[in-house]
C-alpha cells in the first residue's frame, strides 16, 4: 500500500551533550492533519520540531517526509516542502516587513536571476493573507509582538510549504493575538490543506484549535 503519511518518525533517538534525550519516538502525521505536540517546557517539543524540519539529525531511526528520508534531501529541497515558525526570531538588521517575508522565498530564488515577479506576487499574497500588508514598509523590529508573529508566519507561508511546523507560535502574546494567529493557522489547514504540526503548552488553546 502507498504510504500516505506526510511526516513519519520511526524509532527516532536523539541526544544532546548535556544528557537530555528523546528515545524511540514513533509518530505518523498524515497529509492535511492539524496536530498539536503537548508538553511542559523542557520536555522536548522544540527538539521534535527541529528533527521534523531536518535542522537536527536523529542519532538512530529515521525521519521521512512524503516517504523520503530527510537525510537524502538537501536543505533547499526540505525548505521547499517544510516551513518553520520558530519561538524566537531575531533580525539584527533594519529589515522592513516585506524584506523579512521575502526571506521565505530564498529556497526558490536563483543566484543568477534573483527575485522574479512570481516571488513578489507570493510575498504580496501572503502578507495580505495574514493581514500584515499595511505594515510592509515598516521596520520589522518596531512591530508589536503580535504583528511581528504575523510577519514571521507570512515569511513561512512564502515558502509555499505543504507542512508547516509551529514552535509555541503564541508564546509571549496576549490572548487576542494568540487567537488571531491560531485562527489564521486553522484557516490555512482547512482551506489550503496545509499540514500543521504545532508545539503547544496551553491545553485550552490546543483543544480549541487542533484536531
Amino acid at each position: 500500500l502507498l504510504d500516505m503519511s506526510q511526516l513519519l518518525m520511526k524509532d527516532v533517538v536523539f541526544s544532546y551533550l548535556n544528557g537530555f534525550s528523546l528515545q524511540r519516538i514513533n509518530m505518523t502525521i498524515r497529509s492535511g492533519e492539524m496536530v498539536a505536540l503537548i508538553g511542559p517546557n523542557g520536555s522536548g517539543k522544540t527538539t521534535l520540531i527541529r528533527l521534523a524540519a531536518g535542522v537536527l539529525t536523529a542519532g538512530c531511526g529515521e525521519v521521512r517526509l512524503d516517504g523520503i528520508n530527510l537525510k537524502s534531501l538537501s536543505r533547499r529541497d526540505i525548505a521547499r516542502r517544510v516551513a518553520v515558525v520558530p519561538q524566537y526570531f531575531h533580525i539584527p538588521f533594519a529589515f522592513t516587513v516585506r524584506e523579512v517575508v521575502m526571506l521565505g522565498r530564498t529556497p526558490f530564488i536563483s543566484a543568477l536571476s534573483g527575485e522574479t515577479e512570481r516571488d513578489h506576487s507570493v510575498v504580496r499574497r501572503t502578507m495580505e493573507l495574514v493581514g500584515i500588508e499595511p505594515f510592509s514598509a515598516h521596520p520589522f523590529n518596531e512591530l508589536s509582538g503580535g504583528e511581528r508573529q504575523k510577519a514571521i508566519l507570512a515569511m513561512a507561508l512564502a515558502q509555499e510549504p505543504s507542512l508547516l511546523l509551529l514552535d509555541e507560535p503564541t508564546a509571549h502574546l496576549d490572548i487576542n493575538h494568540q487567537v488571531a494567529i491560531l485562527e489564521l493557522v486553522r484557516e490555512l489547514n482547512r482551506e489550503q490543506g496545509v499540514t500543521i504540526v504545532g508545539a503547544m503548552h496551553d491545553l485550552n488553546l490546543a483543544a480549541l484549535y487542533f484536531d
Side-chain angles (χ1 to χ4, degrees), residues 131-184:
I132 203 77
E133 210 275 334
F135 299 94
S136 62
H138 288 221
F140 172 80
N141 286 332
E142 293 181 11
L143 297 181
S144 70
E147 302 301 347
R148 195 178 300 190
Q149 195 69 349
K150 285 185 178 180
I152 297 167
L153 180 59
M155 178 182 69
L157 296 180
Q159 290 175 236
E160 299 181 293
S162 59
L163 173 62
L164 181 63
L165 303 173
L166 310 165
D167 187 8
E168 300 283 5
T170 58
H172 319 302
L173 298 181
D174 64 38
I175 187 63
N176 290 333
H177 280 117
Q178 289 180 19
V179 168
I181 291 293
L182 291 174
E183 290 278 0
L184 267 171

Side-chain angles (χ1 to χ4, degrees), residues 74-96:
S74 68
R75 286 296 317 147
R76 191 181 183 93
D77 285 338
I78 295 172
R80 288 180 172 186
R81 301 161 181 254
V82 182
V84 181
V85 175
Q87 191 173 150
Y88 302 102
F89 184 78
H90 178 64
I91 290 283
F93 308 109
F95 278 33
T96 64

Side-chain angles (χ1 to χ4, degrees), residues 91-207:
I91 290 283
F93 308 109
F95 278 33
T96 64
V97 168
R98 188 190 170 285
E99 287 169 334
V100 167
V101 177
M102 183 59 78
L103 290 175
R105 298 301 299 165
T106 303
F108 302 93
I109 295 174
S110 161
L112 294 175
S113 59
E115 298 167 5
T116 65
E117 181 50 43
R118 170 162 171 71
D119 295 320
H120 292 288
S121 174
V122 169
V123 165
R124 277 195 304 272
R125 190 173 72 244
T126 53
M127 285 195 297
E128 288 169 2
L129 184 67
V130 304
I132 203 77
E133 210 275 334
F135 299 94
S136 62
H138 288 221
F140 172 80
N141 286 332
E142 293 181 11
L143 297 181
S144 70
E147 302 301 347
R148 195 178 300 190
Q149 195 69 349
K150 285 185 178 180
I152 297 167
L153 180 59
M155 178 182 69
L157 296 180
Q159 290 175 236
E160 299 181 293
S162 59
L163 173 62
L164 181 63
L165 303 173
L166 310 165
D167 187 8
E168 300 283 5
T170 58
H172 319 302
L173 298 181
D174 64 38
I175 187 63
N176 290 333
H177 280 117
Q178 289 180 19
V179 168
I181 291 293
L182 291 174
E183 290 278 0
L184 267 171
V185 168
R186 186 166 64 179
E187 195 174 307
L188 283 166
N189 173 258
R190 298 289 188 267
E191 297 186 7
Q192 298 187 26
V194 179
T195 305
I196 311 285
V197 180
M200 302 285 291
H201 69 264
D202 188 312
L203 291 172
N204 293 320
L205 288 174

